Amino acid sequence: MNPKQYDALRRKYRYEWDAHQVIAHRNALLVRTGRQPSNEQLIDEQRAAAAVALIRDELLSAMPRSGTAQD
């Protein structure tokens, strides 16, 4: 993966992370105020977490490993 692709993937990860944090915070606020998040809101949070995990794994696999020819 070239540096531009890697940077684009890092930006995508940050975007997905931020989106997940907003959704998780919304659901936590609902709980704190005594309201239960709807099933759709809970599913949104699960999907956002899965998107973050998928991109994180892709990002980690693209990182150069120490001790390899890429060093």
Side-chain angles (χ1 to χ4, degrees), residues 6-53:
Y6 186 76
D7 287 343
L9 189 58
R10 285 181 57 204
R11 284 190 302 274
K12 185 176 179 183
Y13 174 79
R14 184 61 192 189
Y15 174 82
E16 293 294 343
W17 173 259
D18 289 346
H20 173 258
Q21 292 302 304
V22 168
I23 293 168
H25 183 70
R26 176 203 60 201
N27 287 350
L29 284 175
L30 287 171
V31 170
R32 273 189 287 229
T33 60
R35 296 177 296 190
Q36 185 65 26
S38 69
N39 286 338
E40 292 82 15
Q41 290 168 321
L42 294 172
I43 290 169
D44 284 347
E45 186 176 353
Q46 291 172 347
R47 284 182 183 154
V52 168

